[in-house]
Amino acid sequence: MAQLAETYACVPSTERGRGILISGDPKSNSILYCNGRSVIIRYLDRPLEVQVYGEHAYPATVARYSPNGEWIASADVSGTVRIWGTHNDFVLKKEFRVLSGRIDDLQWSPDGERIVASGEGKGKSLVRAFMWDSGTNVGEFDGHSRRVLSCAFKPTRPFRIVTCGEDFLVNFYEGPPFKFKLSHRDHSNFVNCIRFSPDGKRFISVSSDKKGILYDAKTGDKIGELSSEDGHKGSIYAVSWSPDSRKVVTVSADKSAKLWEISDDNNGTVKRTLTCPGSGGVDDMLVGCLWQNDHIVTVSLGGSIFLYSASDLDKAPLELSGHMKNINSISVLKSDPKVILSTSYDGLIVKWVQGIGYSGKLERGVNSQIKCFAAVEEEIVSSGFDNKVWRYSLHGDQCGDGDCIDIGNQPKDLSLARLSSELALVSFDTGVTLLRGTKIVSTIDLGFTVTACTIAPNGTEAIVGGQDGKLHIYSVTGDTLQEEAVLEKHRGAITVIRYSPDVSMFASADANREAVVWDCATREVKLKNMLYHTARINCLAWSPNGSMVATGSLDTCVIVYEVDKPASSRITIKGAHLGGVYGLEFIDDQTVVSSGEDACIRLWNVTPK
Amino acid sequence: MANAASGMAVHDECKLRFLELKAKRTHRFIIFKIEEKQKQVVVEKVGEPTQTYEDFAASLPADECRYAVYDFDFVTAENCQKSRIFFIAWSPDTSRIRNKMIYASSKDRFKRELDGIQVELQATDPTEMGLDVIKSRAN
């Protein structure tokens, strides 16, 4: 049986030049954000417990809790809004096609009866408000000519809706049924976010022209603005009110978040500036914020979430981070407690510690993209989409300087001889290259299309798999490879080959959903019929004691087989990662860590039957 | 060669064994083979009532097609002992195409000769006739 032990969640997907909107539920102390096609619910006091809603067919953009906390409405780039229950396994209540283009913001009315959604579309459909259960329109929203970036519902009666957008306008609608009342053109650039204060007296709009303007909530007239002394020096992307309606927090592209106190004459003065502790690159631009209960949450462009305590602003913030894109490989370092390194194709390497979660990002001198990755205690070897293979030395948390070598062809697969980590085998389209340190020892053209390769921990034997499903076993003598045997069983291109930790067996998997365990000495099949996946197998891992093999596939499942038992007695983890499982490793004999297309890493406790 | 779709004779022993399985429950499973030269379906192997599903799965060759009948016993949700007779068309991916064609075209006629099959299953690899699949079809 397998049980989910921990989830290391992905971070919100961000876009340069635009803010993102995160929301939360004060009652359950959770925040909601979107990454790819999933909506992630994270509990601020239990960061390792994460729930994922993956039912959107298109990338999700924004999600909001209803005022009573029972429903969540989430929207995506196709203009569809889905309303689903928070408990009960996320059962779907209703789905509406609201706009003809991407939805940028969504808000519930305070009584939970109406929803307003804004975004881009063709012609009139830039903003729509509708009843949550029937979808009937409750107003006509003209007045905008370009993308409407944000909208807000007045939290107290009489109901008003305000919207703001790329045409620099802030529009005010009265209703229901909502009709255009007036508009303001006080901003000189995109108006990024607009929010009512919780007491319903005022609303504030912030813009890329670095200004914030306050308006009266009942009439829509401008009453004040955020003072420009000590103001932001970059576009302001998001704003959030404190629960007592006296303060706001704004985040900006100048990499800082500012707390403003709103005085009775409706002008704001900066009370505090919070700069996020980062290396100061583009990734530190802040793009989203939320003030919930005592927490101030800010999100940076690189996807890091910082949690500040509102009552104690001097305390260093808690940083939660992770991957934003598909995690394509994981490596477990044998330290104690176990450290897991995960890489994604955009070149990000993240360190995780079992039981604690996010533990830091590995900064490399050059941020090249990563396709193949291997790590042993003190070294990391990676290759990307160019012809270079990089070697970095790893000291604790930092990466030392890296050396790279150009091997002349794009590497398809990479394998390190674990015991003599100097030796690495890199395979490319037509052959393999043997590397010792950062020097090419030999390049051998093998004559067939190579798809996967592995080298034994002691560096004496190598196995190369081809497009035709044949496994070629070579013995490594000095600088050359000598072919020893060819094994034919697979009926598809070989995708991954791995030796067992004690080197007595090896397992291979192919694109035709089949995995086979072979005995090293006799080269006979030890366990076959491992055909339970329904799509290509992407990754394979051995347990440290060599008794279990786990396979992860594009069909989102992870299956754990025991080598001594027939393949039919297997443990299946269905739906491990939306989009496919791409990385798999055993941490110890009972725990498997898997990563996938949904940019999350999950730890599973596996107990053999 | 003669048209394999029609004209495949069914040997009397097949029918007799099947009736024994159905009425007197003297067999757990029967495996049928098509003898191409005699153009007949004959009984290849018969299993004792004490034999298990694993024995049955092990008697099917990995690269040749067969027809099989299996008597599956199970306990329902309301705690009743029930049994279902399964007809399994075993047609592994690794067998030869001619083999698969002969078995596929003769299957329908053969099934009609065996009266009393409750569930039919086609398996192209061992995972498709795994015990969990049988249990879910037996409902």
Side-chain angles (χ1 to χ4, degrees):
Chain A
M1 294 300 116
Q3 262 171 323
L4 179 60
E6 291 169 25
T7 307
Y8 301 151
C10 52
V11 291
S13 40
T14 56
E15 198 191 326
R16 175 127 186 224
R18 290 214 185 285
I20 65 160
L21 298 159
I22 56 176
S23 71
D25 183 24
K27 271 181 281 193
S28 57
N29 207 13
S30 55
I31 56 173
L32 278 182
Y33 56 81
C34 305
N35 178 310
R37 289 172 16 222
S38 343
V39 177
I40 319 270
I41 304 175
R42 257 189 122 152
Y43 295 94
L44 291 177
D45 40 7
R46 300 188 300 276
L48 291 178
E49 205 183 298
V50 169
Q51 288 180 302
V52 176
Y53 177 74
E55 303 289 320
H56 276 281
Y58 293 89
T61 49
V62 65
R64 287 223 191 272
Y65 273 99
S66 69
N68 59 8
E70 285 300 306
W71 307 99
I72 296 182
S74 56
D76 61 22
V77 299
S78 73
T80 313
V81 173
R82 277 178 156 252
I83 303 174
W84 35 284
T86 332
H87 314 292
N88 278 19
D89 250 356
F90 302 157
V91 57
L92 178 70
K93 167 109 167 76
K94 255 329 192 357
E95 182 181 5
F96 299 109
R97 184 77 193 282
V98 170
L99 297 179
S100 52
R102 165 201 180 107
I103 296 185
D104 286 311
D105 199 2
L106 180 81
Q107 284 261 309
W108 290 81
S109 69
D111 55 0
E113 290 293 318
R114 297 172 187 82
I115 297 180
V116 60
S118 71
E120 64 186 337
K122 300 191 229 324
K124 278 223 160 179
S125 69
L126 292 163
V127 184
R128 256 190 69 188
F130 54 97
M131 302 298 289
W132 81 297
D133 49 0
S134 59
T136 44
N137 270 357
V138 286
E140 271 184 36
F141 292 87
D142 29 352
H144 274 296
S145 52
R146 292 191 40 201
R147 184 163 161 182
V148 181
L149 292 168
S150 182
C151 57
F153 228 118
K154 182 158 175 289
T156 54
R157 284 183 192 270
F159 285 151
R160 302 275 182 270
I161 290 184
V162 287
T163 61
C164 66
E166 279 186 1
D167 47 10
F168 313 169
L169 291 175
V170 170
N171 281 359
F172 190 79
Y173 300 88
E174 272 182 354
F178 292 98
K179 276 197 295 291
F180 176 81
K181 172 99 186 301
L182 51 85
S183 85
H184 289 285
R185 212 199 157 91
D186 293 308
H187 283 293
S188 48
N189 206 331
F190 294 177
V191 191
N192 286 316
C193 190
I194 194 162
R195 290 280 176 262
F196 273 99
S197 63
D199 62 0
K201 292 219 195 73
R202 298 173 277 232
F203 64 93
I204 185 172
S205 68
V206 291
S207 153
S208 293
D209 63 0
K210 311 173 200 143
K211 287 211 301 248
I213 303 184
L214 281 111
Y215 308 81
D216 179 87
K218 259 202 281 209
T219 58
D221 299 319
K222 170 173 171 185
I223 48 177
E225 56 180 72
L226 295 179
S227 110
S228 50
E229 68 172 77
D230 210 18
H232 278 295
K233 296 179 197 37
S235 311
I236 308 182
Y237 284 122
V239 65
S240 191
W241 287 87
S242 66
D244 61 6
S245 303
R246 297 212 55 96
K247 304 204 240 329
V248 288
V249 62
T250 55
V251 287
S252 152
D254 65 359
K255 305 173 193 144
S256 70
K258 288 192 196 282
L259 250 83
W260 308 76
E261 170 120 15
I262 308 289
S263 55
D264 289 323
D265 64 349
N266 297 319
N267 280 322
T269 40
V270 177
K271 221 177 130 223
R272 191 63 200 258
T273 302
L274 306 162
T275 36
C276 71
S279 54
V282 163
D283 274 350
D284 288 329
M285 285 193 193
L286 294 173
V287 291
C289 69
L290 181 70
W291 192 322
Q292 185 162 281
N293 296 341
D294 188 42
H295 300 283
I296 299 181
V297 182
T298 60
V299 182
S300 74
L301 187 68
S304 302
I305 302 176
F306 293 97
L307 246 80
Y308 293 87
S309 159
S311 44
D312 183 7
L313 290 166
D314 290 316
K315 205 164 75 164
L318 178 64
E319 183 181 348
L320 299 168
S321 189
H323 283 280
M324 216 189 293
K325 302 257 192 291
N326 171 9
I327 301 180
N328 54 15
S329 76
I330 348 180
S331 229
V332 178
L333 297 177
K334 285 181 205 16
S335 51
D336 190 28
K338 291 285 165 59
V339 169
I340 302 167
L341 290 177
S342 59
T343 64
S344 54
Y345 74 79
D346 52 4
L348 185 63
I349 309 181
V350 179
K351 248 180 72 166
W352 308 89
V353 175
Q354 186 181 10
I356 301 177
Y358 174 71
S359 148
K361 286 189 193 159
L362 284 182
E363 305 282 339
R364 295 177 297 150
V366 175
N367 251 6
S368 54
Q369 295 176 317
I370 298 184
K371 186 174 165 205
C372 316
F373 174 76
V376 282
E377 282 330 297
E378 285 91 38
E379 256 195 310
I380 293 180
V381 181
S382 74
S383 73
F385 293 100
D386 50 15
N387 290 347
K388 300 201 173 62
V389 173
W390 288 83
R391 252 190 207 273
Y392 295 91
S393 51
L394 186 62
H395 310 289
D397 275 6
Q398 298 305 111
C399 250
D401 290 325
D403 293 315
C404 78
I405 30 162
D406 188 325
I407 58 167
N409 289 292
Q410 198 202 105
K412 285 281 174 76
D413 201 359
L414 184 73
S415 180
L416 270 183
R418 246 176 292 136
L419 296 172
S420 60
S421 63
E422 286 277 293
L423 204 51
L425 187 68
V426 182
S427 73
F428 50 88
D429 233 1
T430 49
V432 291
T433 302
L434 260 175
L435 296 173
R436 207 174 281 277
T438 49
K439 282 197 277 297
I440 301 180
V441 163
S442 66
T443 303
I444 304 144
D445 188 350
L446 291 171
F448 57 88
T449 314
V450 177
T451 47
C453 72
T454 191
I455 189 166
N458 54 9
T460 53
E461 201 179 60
I463 310 180
V464 179
Q467 180 82 19
D468 51 5
K470 295 198 192 147
L471 287 164
H472 299 251
I473 305 188
Y474 297 90
S475 60
V476 179
T477 42
D479 291 354
T480 53
L481 297 180
Q482 207 129 353
E483 180 162 311
E484 302 269 319
V486 177
L487 301 173
E488 287 184 36
K489 177 139 169 69
H490 285 284
R491 287 171 283 152
I494 310 280
T495 50
V496 62
I497 320 174
R498 289 267 179 275
Y499 276 97
S500 68
D502 59 359
V503 204
S504 64
M505 299 177 274
F506 66 90
S508 54
D510 64 18
N512 198 29
R513 327 166 336 252
E514 189 172 6
V516 181
V517 177
W518 310 79
D519 184 289
C520 262
T522 62
R523 293 185 189 139
E524 301 259 302
V525 174
K526 206 148 178 220
L527 182 61
K528 58 181 175 159
N529 286 344
M530 298 159 75
L531 268 166
Y532 289 91
H533 279 294
T534 52
R536 65 175 276 146
I537 299 184
N538 283 326
C539 46
L540 195 143
W542 283 90
S543 65
N545 60 5
S547 69
M548 291 196 277
V549 172
T551 54
S553 150
L554 190 60
D555 68 359
T556 75
C557 298
V558 172
I559 303 186
V560 182
Y561 301 93
E562 280 179 79
V563 179
D564 298 320
K565 299 218 188 99
S568 48
S569 70
R570 66 208 185 273
I571 303 166
T572 313
I573 304 172
K574 283 212 170 101
H577 292 275
L578 192 69
V581 179
Y582 282 93
L584 197 59
E585 280 292 344
F586 269 86
I587 298 189
D588 53 40
D589 289 324
Q590 271 93 37
T591 327
V592 178
V593 59
S594 67
S595 72
E597 172 95 23
D598 59 357
C600 295
I601 297 179
R602 294 197 165 88
L603 263 84
W604 311 88
N605 278 331
V606 169
T607 41
K609 280 185 262 219
Chain B
M1 289 233 61
N3 188 358
S6 53
M8 192 60 76
V10 178
H11 195 247
D12 288 334
E13 206 191 330
C14 305
K15 287 180 262 200
L16 286 169
R17 292 267 170 267
F18 181 70
L19 287 166
E20 275 169 30
L21 182 149
K22 213 172 48 147
K24 292 183 255 174
R25 327 225 37 236
T26 46
H27 313 295
R28 174 67 55 198
F29 61 85
I30 312 172
I31 298 186
F32 304 95
K33 184 179 168 176
I34 292 184
E35 286 290 337
E36 244 186 273
K37 288 170 213 68
Q38 302 154 358
K39 293 202 213 74
Q40 275 205 39
V41 184
V42 294
V43 172
E44 192 199 16
K45 184 165 179 205
V46 161
E48 299 288 305
T50 49
Q51 288 187 293
T52 64
Y53 190 76
E54 271 77 39
D55 298 322
F56 166 59
S59 347
L60 289 171
D63 53 0
E64 270 188 39
C65 305
R66 292 285 185 272
Y67 298 129
V69 166
Y70 186 81
D71 189 5
F72 180 61
D73 289 327
F74 61 103
V75 183
T76 63
E78 292 97 32
N79 256 337
C80 322
Q81 181 80 336
K82 271 197 178 172
S83 85
R84 288 262 183 274
I85 297 184
F86 276 76
F87 178 83
I88 298 175
W90 169 242
S91 204
D93 279 331
T94 45
S95 60
R96 306 192 59 224
I97 300 199
R98 186 185 167 69
N99 206 239
K100 288 187 235 185
M101 279 243 46
I102 295 178
Y103 275 79
S105 47
S106 322
K107 181 185 76 168
D108 216 31
R109 204 149 180 279
F110 176 59
K111 255 186 12 180
R112 255 178 269 151
E113 300 275 340
L114 306 179
D115 180 27
I117 293 173
Q118 286 154 320
V119 189
E120 192 210 326
L121 195 58
Q122 185 193 35
T124 60
D125 62 43
T127 66
E128 292 187 9
M129 48 174 271
L131 201 52
D132 42 354
V133 177
I134 302 275
K135 281 190 192 149
S136 65
R137 292 293 295 270
N139 53 30

